[in-house]
Amino acid sequence: MAGIAILTIAISSCDEDTNTMGYSLTNDADRFRLVPDTFHVESMNSIKADSVLARSSYCYIGCIKDPETGAYISSDFTTQFNVLENENNYIFASKKNITSLDADGEPIATSCYLSVIINSYLGDSLTAMKLMVEELDKPIEENRPYYSNFNPESNGYIRNDGLKQAKVYSMVDLTLSDSMRNVRQTNNYYSYIKIPLNKKYKAKDGVTYNNYGTYLMRTYYQHPEYFKSSYSFIKNVCPGFYIKHIDGQGVMAEVLSVQLNVDYKFKTDTTEYSGSKIFYGTEEVMQTTHISNDKGKIDSLVNKVKDCTYLKTPAGIFTEVTLPVEEIKKGHTNDSILSAKITFQRMVDLNNRTDDLLSDATQLLMIERDSLYSFFEQNKVTNNSTSFLAVYNSTLNTYSYNNISSLINHMYANRNKGSKNWNKVVLVPVKTNSVSTSSYTSATVTGINNEMGITSTRLVGGNMNPRNPTISVIYNQSKE
């Protein structure tokens, strides 16, 4: 009888209803429910980017016609050269071992040239282009921002009586044999533009050398202290070069680096060798990019097109978005926002010609309107609180920001602090630098720069378009 009673109690205590599971552990005041809602973006409009911060992993050289606007976009750049502090004693071979000598027995360079290493290019590989290399008169100062409208010529940085060398080039080097070009293409060689600097060179002190490489060599033997660091080298020996597009249309090249090569001969014991020293122009030293664009064409797109918004680079157009912050928070000031997702739809191109030269922006930065310049000048990266990054989804033709709830809360808290842009963000095409510690971990973004390549994207929206994007919000509504 006792066993039957215990079994009866056990069975009656089992209840399959789990609706109240956990309620015995949760205070009534802490219980909540999820409430979804959707809001339309208040407004979207295109804004002109007269210039952008010209700090990038790449420089650009060339000129190309924008098939969308008919505008000509050209690019030039300056570069300095890097000297490692631990290589001071090994820049060139010992002077006593140099066998390339002039009539007076002084060391000379057998050859000197610049190599502009091309990472990629846009346009016709056979188009003939022309550039000019000009020596800088003084170093371009560090510790200040340089925008894409910075022109070293008009700002007095070019040495009037300094080195100048023109070069006609194409992306496919037609001076090479067919077999050699095939070897380079199939073995992933970088294309490069070789610019000889073998004419007589007159230094600032009036001394003339047979070429620029000889100037570098003799300066090294006379003043090795000038080669102890990049700073000393740039200040005392070589302030850098301006590589300027001067003729041709149809190619825009993305420059990976620039190399300053000095060739000479030396011996060890009785054997003669060919030596070469390469000075590298990379992002570790100062580089600036100067972009020329047709401002009238840019103004036309910004002012006349109202049924979409534009993203155009370089130094072209951004999209400004006004978020419905007050509407989202209305009636929910005591509720927390679990998520707020917004997706921007890419609009179909106006014509097929844009597919030939213009690609879509790959990565899109969302930042507050008032942070448009300071974000890049301070070398910031996204924090997923007030700045976010979206990657273009080519399958869905969209850019999605999955949760900007922290930005909504931040804007609402700062709505009465005097900025007329308190609820506005800007969408900016960017390129990112990233590193990964192993093959098992995701890459960490270490730098974000303005996109300096040629891209164009139209987004669905605008002041005359009723199909502005929507924000999907989920509230955590506390039980009162």
Side-chain angles (χ1 to χ4, degrees):
M1 294 293 290
I4 294 173
I6 293 173
L7 181 61
T8 302
I9 294 172
I11 293 174
S12 62
S13 66
C14 293
D15 188 352
E16 294 183 358
D17 187 1
T18 60
N19 289 335
T20 60
M21 183 178 293
Y23 269 55
S24 61
L25 304 176
T26 306
N27 189 287
D28 284 349
D30 297 328
R31 295 174 188 167
F32 61 87
R33 63 190 181 97
L34 303 182
V35 178
D37 208 341
T38 301
F39 303 89
H40 285 273
V41 165
E42 289 187 7
S43 69
M44 287 177 61
N45 60 285
S46 301
I47 58 174
K48 182 173 70 172
D50 179 67
S51 60
V52 295
L53 189 67
R55 181 183 60 234
S56 176
S57 300
Y58 302 103
C59 298
Y60 293 83
I61 184 71
C63 177
I64 204 162
K65 185 178 181 179
D66 183 343
E68 191 171 42
T69 64
Y72 288 95
I73 305 170
S74 64
S75 181
D76 324 300
F77 69 95
T78 68
T79 184
Q80 298 172 348
F81 296 95
N82 193 20
V83 175
L84 300 178
E85 294 186 12
N86 61 355
E87 68 171 359
N88 173 250
N89 296 325
Y90 311 100
I91 298 291
F92 296 106
S94 175
K95 183 178 179 180
K96 64 181 181 181
N97 293 331
I98 299 296
T99 58
S100 51
L101 305 170
D102 65 7
D104 297 324
E106 292 295 321
I108 60 172
T110 58
S111 178
C112 182
Y113 57 93
L114 286 175
S115 293
V116 179
I117 312 300
I118 305 302
N119 185 61
S120 62
Y121 66 89
L122 196 63
D124 187 346
S125 62
L126 298 178
T127 298
M129 306 290 286
K130 189 175 184 180
L131 59 75
M132 175 72 76
V133 174
E134 297 181 307
E135 181 185 6
L136 296 183
D137 185 59
K138 56 186 177 181
I140 294 178
E141 301 90 347
E142 297 186 10
N143 302 318
R144 57 155 286 191
Y146 290 92
Y147 282 78
S148 57
N149 59 358
F150 171 74
N151 188 333
E153 286 185 302
S154 60
N155 283 274
Y157 281 90
I158 306 302
R159 182 184 166 192
N160 293 328
D161 58 346
L163 182 153
K164 288 180 172 59
Q165 179 63 56
K167 173 67 176 182
V168 176
Y169 67 95
S170 63
M171 289 298 99
V172 172
D173 190 347
L174 297 178
T175 64
L176 297 175
S177 64
D178 291 343
S179 59
M180 182 57 70
R181 285 201 299 270
N182 184 60
V183 167
R184 290 191 172 185
Q185 291 171 359
T186 57
N187 288 274
N188 296 320
Y189 280 86
Y190 282 109
S191 299
Y192 64 90
I193 306 167
K194 185 177 180 179
I195 309 161
L197 305 180
N198 291 318
K199 294 180 179 179
K200 287 185 178 181
Y201 173 73
K202 187 176 182 179
K204 287 185 176 181
D205 60 5
V207 177
T208 300
Y209 303 88
N210 69 308
N211 61 36
Y212 190 77
T214 298
Y215 158 73
L216 293 177
M217 291 182 67
R218 293 191 187 175
T219 303
Y220 172 71
Y221 294 127
Q222 293 170 8
H223 297 283
E225 69 275 12
Y226 291 170
F227 292 74
K228 285 187 176 181
S229 67
S230 297
Y231 174 79
S232 181
F233 179 72
I234 293 166
K235 180 180 178 182
N236 298 293
V237 183
C238 175
F241 293 100
Y242 180 39
I243 301 179
K244 176 185 177 183
H245 168 78
I246 59 173
D247 198 9
Q249 183 273 124
V251 174
M252 183 67 73
E254 186 177 72
V255 177
L256 178 66
S257 66
V258 180
Q259 299 175 4
L260 174 57
N261 300 263
V262 181
D263 297 336
Y264 59 95
K265 292 186 181 298
F266 70 101
K267 68 178 181 179
T268 59
D269 298 327
T270 59
T271 306
E272 187 177 55
Y273 298 93
S274 295
S276 182
K277 170 59 186 173
I278 301 177
F279 299 91
Y280 293 92
T282 61
E283 60 180 319
E284 284 77 22
V285 291
M286 175 63 71
Q287 294 177 317
T288 66
T289 298
H290 173 230
I291 302 292
S292 297
N293 206 341
D294 189 327
K295 295 183 179 180
K297 300 290 187 181
I298 296 297
D299 287 336
S300 177
L301 288 181
V302 169
N303 297 326
K304 294 182 180 180
V305 180
K306 302 299 182 182
D307 60 345
C308 69
T309 64
Y310 273 89
L311 301 166
K312 288 187 73 67
T313 64
I317 304 175
F318 300 152
T319 288
E320 182 185 81
V321 182
T322 302
L323 300 176
V325 177
E326 289 185 311
E327 188 179 356
I328 291 173
K329 295 293 289 186
K330 185 177 181 181
H332 296 279
T333 54
N334 295 323
D335 301 332
S336 59
I337 303 175
L338 288 181
S339 71
K341 180 178 180 179
I342 183 170
T343 297
F344 296 94
Q345 184 77 39
R346 171 187 173 274
M347 187 177 282
V348 178
D349 291 329
L350 288 172
N351 54 64
N352 293 328
R353 292 181 301 162
T354 59
D355 294 333
D356 299 332
L357 291 176
L358 297 179
S359 60
D360 289 295
T362 304
Q363 300 177 94
L364 210 56
L365 173 71
M366 176 189 286
I367 51 175
E368 294 179 278
R369 180 66 173 85
D370 289 339
S371 300
L372 179 58
Y373 297 101
S374 62
F375 180 91
F376 296 101
E377 289 181 2
Q378 297 172 17
N379 204 22
K380 293 182 178 181
V381 295
T382 50
N383 57 17
N384 292 321
S385 177
T386 57
S387 55
F388 305 84
L389 196 65
V391 178
Y392 177 54
N393 185 321
S394 58
T395 302
L396 300 177
N397 286 334
T398 57
Y399 302 88
S400 292
Y401 300 89
N402 290 322
N403 192 357
I404 61 170
S405 59
S406 58
L407 177 62
I408 299 296
N409 291 325
H410 169 79
M411 287 180 161
Y412 187 74
N414 289 277
R415 66 192 184 282
N416 296 320
K417 294 189 176 180
S419 174
K420 64 180 182 179
N421 300 318
W422 68 271
N423 60 345
K424 293 179 172 60
V425 294
V426 180
L427 306 180
V428 183
V430 294
K431 269 193 174 181
T432 60
N433 300 327
S434 59
V435 296
S436 181
T437 56
S438 71
S439 58
Y440 302 102
T441 58
S442 58
T444 301
V445 174
T446 58
I448 299 179
N449 300 311
N450 286 282
E451 173 63 73
M452 301 295 285
I454 299 176
T455 69
S456 182
T457 303
R458 296 195 307 155
L459 298 178
V460 174
N463 294 334
M464 301 294 291
N465 194 331
R467 298 172 55 204
N468 276 351
T470 59
I471 301 180
S472 300
V473 178
I474 298 178
Y475 300 96
N476 177 351
Q477 191 174 67
S478 299
K479 183 178 180 180
E480 299 180 355

